[in-house]
Amino acid sequence: YLETYGCQMNVNDTEIAWAILQKNGYARTKDLDEADVILLVTCSVREKAEQAIWNRLRHLKALKARRQQARLPLRIGILGCMAERLKEEILHREKLVDIVAGPDAYRDLPRLLAVAESGQQAANVLLSLDETYADILPVQTSAGGTTAFVSIMRGCDNMCSYCIVPFTRGRERSRPIASILQEVRMLSDQGVKEVTLLGQNVNSFRDMSEVQFQSAAAPVLSRGFSTVYKAKPGGLRFAHLLDQVSRIDPEMRIRFTSPHPKDFPDEASVLQLIQERHNICKQLHLPAQSGSTRVLEAMRRGYTREAYLELVHHVRECIPGVSLSSDFIAGFCGETEEDHQQTVSLLREVRYNIGFLFAYSMRQKTRAYHRLQDDVPADIKKRRLEELITVFREEAARANEAMVGQCQLVLVEGPSKRSVSELCGRNDGNIKVIFPDAEIEDAAGCEALVRAQPGDYVVVKVTSASSQTLKGVLLCRTTLSRSAARP
């Protein structure tokens, strides 16, 4: 029984771990009470995420005790980032957990489980410099099979002062392009209509797997950006990967997350590709984290407010109508009220379509933990976060209202959560669109009326908008290529 917490990378890790276990003769159950092994794929990015796991373990403790009385042993494993960060504590607290496996140790799961069978605790949290699971095709678990996530790299080298990721997922290493293309082709054959390329820092991707790739020059950074590490020469870059992936299936949408703003240089072939290719979504995640240059410096983000805004303007010039999303942290170490107001004004100025906003929580091992003071009181963090969310929603609502009256191409994902008579999907900008489940014409001109199914592309005329969703009426079913060809 597998349970996933945290980011999309963890969903992908679950699929990798399951592919390995399946090959080793394990069967998967959706029923907790039926399981002999329960594995939790965990997150460490914020304290709240870890708290959820400790709470879950308390619940599983009772289940394990009942099993022991019935002489039906139950093994419990903690996988992923929290395993990496808190190995000792997990193994010693209440002696409940049998196996602990870090993000680079999933190949070792069959051995760890065999050790646990003999009644001993087993752990492997070694971080690797080269593990990318390139030869393991993940077993897709996403519902409906319309969309899928493909991991292209692991780890991160940016060392932002607030972030635990380099310590739980290790150094950056990229998967060979050939294995990524093989996986995307397989997904295309299975009828998947949208693939998101995943990594902690996708646009610093560099495939060094073949000798002829290694002579390329180091990339240029975006204007006004810097890194804590030296420029890395060699390797096939993200633009090359994006070009190749987008050619596989003209009916498959391509997205990617999460890029770093520093890796969109001025000659930006990535931005050019997004603008030119009809199947690369015109949507970018540009994590800002703060609107204050002073706080950005304390965070070691490698850019000023001005450099970030210049990049936003550059992106909007290159890709008209681009949808932007971002991450923000409220109440970072030393953040003053004035710093907070600068973040508020950045949210107003950029007007993001999608936002991920959190209050800061100090993580051990990070530079902030060693060098800075977590000195913004919890109640002030909470107030600032609520203010940021309110402003973000106001601006997103304005951005979305601008689409009322327009026609949007939507990939149907399935029934709406709120009503069985409505369907739900996402437009090119990754915004949720709700529309009636009605009979419609097909744009190819066939006489019979059709009903939209998950995986279909449909044209929806937007009739109303909120900060998070668009609502509209269904016009017709179409294809990605046909809709791109329309003037």
Side-chain angles (χ1 to χ4, degrees):
Y1 182 85
L2 285 150
E3 230 169 61
T4 313
Y5 296 79
C7 72
Q8 210 49 63
M9 291 290 288
N10 283 2
V11 175
N12 192 259
D13 275 12
T14 304
E15 293 173 351
I16 288 168
W18 171 230
I20 291 163
L21 290 168
Q22 196 180 31
K23 275 204 179 109
N24 282 271
Y26 283 86
R28 188 164 178 182
T29 176
K30 289 196 161 116
D31 180 2
L32 192 69
D33 293 315
E34 196 180 53
D36 311 301
V37 177
I38 295 171
L39 301 176
L40 310 183
V41 183
T42 63
C43 170
S44 251
V45 168
R46 284 173 298 281
E47 208 169 327
K48 199 175 165 190
E50 289 186 354
Q51 207 40 62
I53 303 294
W54 291 122
N55 295 343
R56 186 65 171 137
L57 286 174
R58 272 203 291 281
H59 173 242
L60 294 177
K61 189 180 182 183
L63 179 63
K64 194 168 185 177
R66 285 201 301 278
R67 287 289 189 85
Q68 270 165 336
Q69 283 172 336
R71 304 237 166 127
L72 295 166
L74 174 65
R75 309 278 172 236
I76 294 174
I78 296 285
L79 276 48
C81 291
M82 192 169 159
E84 193 65 47
R85 195 178 94 74
L86 295 172
K87 173 191 150 191
E88 301 300 329
E89 193 179 341
I90 292 166
L91 289 172
H92 296 135
R93 206 194 260 201
E94 301 162 2
K95 291 275 188 277
L96 171 72
V97 174
D98 303 283
I99 78 159
V100 172
D104 291 347
Y106 302 141
R107 286 181 199 273
D108 202 22
L109 280 170
R111 183 190 71 83
L112 294 171
L113 284 163
V115 171
E117 283 294 309
S118 69
Q120 299 172 60
Q121 286 182 311
N124 179 351
V125 293
L126 289 173
L127 283 175
S128 159
L129 288 174
D130 51 17
E131 178 63 271
T132 61
Y133 300 108
D135 58 320
I136 293 169
L137 287 176
V139 179
Q140 293 298 325
T141 54
S142 49
T146 298
T147 62
F149 293 85
V150 172
S151 178
I152 65 166
M153 61 192 300
R154 300 177 76 81
C156 186
D157 288 349
N158 289 323
M159 303 302 279
C160 302
S161 61
Y162 53 82
C163 187
I164 190 76
V165 167
F167 303 96
T168 59
R169 287 189 165 268
R171 295 288 85 124
E172 242 170 59
R173 62 264 184 214
S174 299
R175 184 174 159 189
I177 285 182
S179 89
I180 298 167
L181 297 179
Q182 182 197 358
E183 186 177 340
V184 175
R185 278 189 204 103
M186 180 190 81
L187 292 169
S188 168
D189 293 343
Q190 288 170 8
V192 167
K193 285 293 196 302
E194 182 179 290
V195 158
T196 303
L197 305 177
L198 274 191
Q200 241 70 45
N201 186 11
V202 284
N203 52 343
S204 67
F205 176 92
R206 45 199 280 277
D207 174 7
M208 299 286 283
S209 63
E210 294 185 36
V211 175
Q212 71 263 32
F213 302 166
Q214 292 172 15
S215 56
V220 187
L221 291 179
S222 308
R223 236 202 334 262
F225 288 73
S226 64
T227 61
V228 294
Y229 58 80
K230 285 195 187 79
K232 302 171 193 157
L236 283 180
R237 300 281 157 189
F238 184 61
H240 180 88
L241 171 69
L242 196 56
D243 171 43
Q244 296 289 308
V245 167
S246 70
R247 287 170 191 269
I248 288 174
D249 180 351
E251 288 302 309
M252 182 192 262
R253 269 183 178 171
I254 310 298
R255 301 186 190 278
F256 55 87
T257 200
S258 179
H260 191 289
K262 70 178 166 43
D263 297 306
F264 287 108
D266 286 346
E267 77 281 11
S269 46
V270 169
L271 299 180
Q272 237 168 321
L273 273 172
I274 297 172
Q275 197 255 318
E276 285 167 11
R277 297 281 157 90
H278 75 275
N279 63 333
I280 303 179
C281 292
K282 284 152 193 52
Q283 174 240 327
L284 263 193
H285 188 60
L286 284 182
Q289 308 299 359
S290 171
S292 155
T293 294
R294 208 183 61 79
V295 173
L296 288 167
E297 194 176 345
M299 289 177 163
R300 296 178 101 198
R301 289 292 290 167
Y303 52 86
T304 60
R305 175 195 175 95
E306 290 70 30
Y308 179 86
L309 279 170
E310 194 183 324
L311 175 66
V312 167
H313 296 313
H314 176 55
V315 165
R316 285 195 161 139
E317 273 168 22
C318 294
I319 313 164
V322 67
S323 163
L324 294 181
S325 57
S326 195
D327 300 331
F328 286 94
I329 295 170
F332 184 64
C333 308
E335 183 187 74
T336 64
E337 198 55 36
E338 189 194 340
D339 294 323
H340 165 64
Q341 288 307 326
Q342 288 189 358
T343 303
V344 169
S345 79
L346 185 77
L347 282 166
R348 292 238 184 258
E349 189 168 338
V350 177
R351 186 171 288 176
Y352 299 96
N353 300 81
I354 299 166
F356 303 92
L357 302 95
F358 302 98
Y360 175 63
S361 68
M362 176 77 88
R363 315 311 288 131
Q364 282 173 335
K365 290 189 180 170
T366 59
R367 188 180 172 91
Y369 179 79
H370 293 297
R371 307 277 178 95
L372 303 172
Q373 225 63 51
D374 186 8
D375 54 2
V376 179
D379 57 334
I380 292 180
K381 279 183 191 171
K382 186 169 180 283
R383 173 184 62 75
R384 287 180 187 170
L385 176 61
E386 284 164 3
E387 270 176 40
L388 294 183
I389 290 171
T390 301
V391 171
F392 157 72
R393 285 200 173 140
E394 284 171 8
E395 295 301 329
R398 285 195 184 105
N400 291 347
E401 274 154 20
M403 292 183 229
V404 172
Q406 291 180 4
C407 290
Q408 296 283 325
L409 181 71
V410 176
L411 175 60
V412 182
E413 289 177 1
S416 157
K417 282 193 177 116
R418 295 202 175 157
S419 160
V420 284
S421 64
E422 291 182 315
L423 292 172
C424 157
R426 284 175 193 277
N427 71 355
D428 189 84
N430 213 17
I431 298 159
K432 191 185 268 189
V433 185
I434 311 279
F435 48 93
D437 181 3
E439 290 194 324
I440 42 162
E441 290 179 0
D442 187 271
C446 58
E447 295 296 301
L449 293 176
V450 291
R451 269 208 138 81
Q453 302 296 325
D456 282 349
Y457 289 103
V458 293
V459 179
V460 174
K461 186 170 186 179
V462 181
T463 53
S464 68
S466 71
S467 64
Q468 297 186 300
T469 50
L470 303 172
K471 282 195 152 185
V473 291
L474 204 47
L475 297 184
C476 65
R477 183 172 73 175
T478 185
T479 66
L480 198 50
S481 313
R482 204 181 297 132
S483 104
R486 253 194 11 225

